[in-house]
Amino acid sequence: MMEKRWTIVEALRHSRHDWLNKIQLIKGNLSLQRIDRVNEIIQQIIIEAENEAKLTNLQTAQFAELLMTYHWQARHIQLEYEVLGEPRPLHAYDHMLVTWCHSFLHMLEECSSPHVENYVTITIDLTERDVRLFFDYRGMLHEHEKVKEWLQKHSRYDALTICEHVIHEHELTVCAIVHLFK
């Protein structure tokens, strides 16, 4: 299902590259004596690490890999994610989550203009009864009908149901619910 299987060495190389970029940002801002900006960067690093920890604590290895390594390949979309609520094991939903989200992100890539910056933020909201996934896209969609058709065709997949979506030229919001088995 995944586009690329990363070896341990490749994963460490990408991770090291990400960390070096963050350290260079801090170093550059320190040399310019922008202490407030350094504190903002450090706070952002902390938030990213907390979200990464929450994501991995969901015990959805393939889904976590998709989100955590998405930016390691050239893409038309920049992806961020956040996890709200208390993490709990969702390993039974891993295949469903990675399959649906991979397909959704692939469709967005195909329908996004490569000439502008496109962003997707995925919010994973863990409630007592279910898991809600909010997808917030900002950028340039050039195939609205294809997006609408995809959302209609994939509005129900296993335990996942799209409960609402709004499509505009420069934005798309989708809310999906994962109904947890008792």
Side-chain angles (χ1 to χ4, degrees):
M1 175 69 238
M2 299 300 295
E3 294 175 359
K4 168 130 175 83
R5 294 300 311 171
W6 302 101
T7 67
I8 293 172
V9 172
E10 289 172 321
L12 290 170
R13 182 173 44 87
H14 281 287
S15 179
R16 181 179 59 248
H17 178 80
D18 290 347
W19 275 107
L20 284 174
N21 285 344
K22 293 171 186 177
I23 290 169
Q24 287 175 344
L25 269 175
I26 292 170
K27 187 177 175 183
N29 280 284
L30 279 174
S31 70
L32 296 172
Q33 298 181 351
R34 295 181 182 166
I35 304 303
D36 288 345
R37 180 65 185 129
V38 169
N39 288 328
E40 289 173 11
I41 293 167
I42 291 170
Q43 186 59 37
Q44 185 60 39
I45 291 169
I46 291 168
I47 290 168
E48 288 174 10
E50 289 172 344
N51 279 314
E52 191 173 289
K54 284 183 173 183
L55 181 63
T56 58
N57 286 337
L58 298 178
Q59 299 175 18
T60 54
Q62 290 181 325
F63 180 59
E65 180 181 336
L66 172 67
L67 299 187
M68 292 168 59
T69 65
Y70 190 79
H71 68 281
W72 288 2
Q73 296 180 19
R75 307 276 189 179
H76 296 305
I77 295 175
Q78 295 179 36
L79 183 137
E80 292 183 354
Y81 61 89
E82 66 178 335
V83 180
L84 306 176
E86 287 302 312
R88 60 180 173 278
L90 297 175
H91 55 275
Y93 306 92
D94 190 22
H95 180 74
M96 176 203 61
L97 286 167
V98 74
T99 301
W100 192 91
C101 288
H102 181 268
S103 180
F104 177 69
L105 291 169
H106 181 74
M107 176 273 300
L108 280 181
E109 288 272 343
E110 290 181 342
C111 295
S112 295
S113 171
H115 307 294
V116 299
E117 290 187 355
N118 301 291
Y119 300 92
V120 173
T121 301
I122 301 173
T123 302
I124 303 162
D125 187 11
L126 305 161
T127 69
E128 287 184 27
R129 295 185 314 258
D130 54 35
V131 176
R132 294 179 184 264
L133 302 172
F134 298 95
F135 299 85
D136 185 16
Y137 171 90
R138 299 285 183 259
M140 177 67 76
L141 290 172
H142 56 79
E143 294 188 47
H144 291 88
E145 285 305 312
K146 186 174 180 179
V147 174
K148 287 178 188 176
E149 289 171 14
W150 190 96
L151 289 169
Q152 288 173 347
K153 182 178 178 185
H154 297 86
S155 64
R156 289 191 180 275
Y157 178 73
D158 200 353
L160 184 143
T161 304
I162 295 176
C163 57
E164 68 178 280
H165 67 275
V166 178
I167 304 170
H168 297 289
E169 185 177 7
H170 297 285
E171 63 184 302
L172 165 71
T173 55
V174 175
C175 176
I177 298 175
V178 177
H179 304 282
L180 302 178
F181 306 120
K182 299 291 176 183

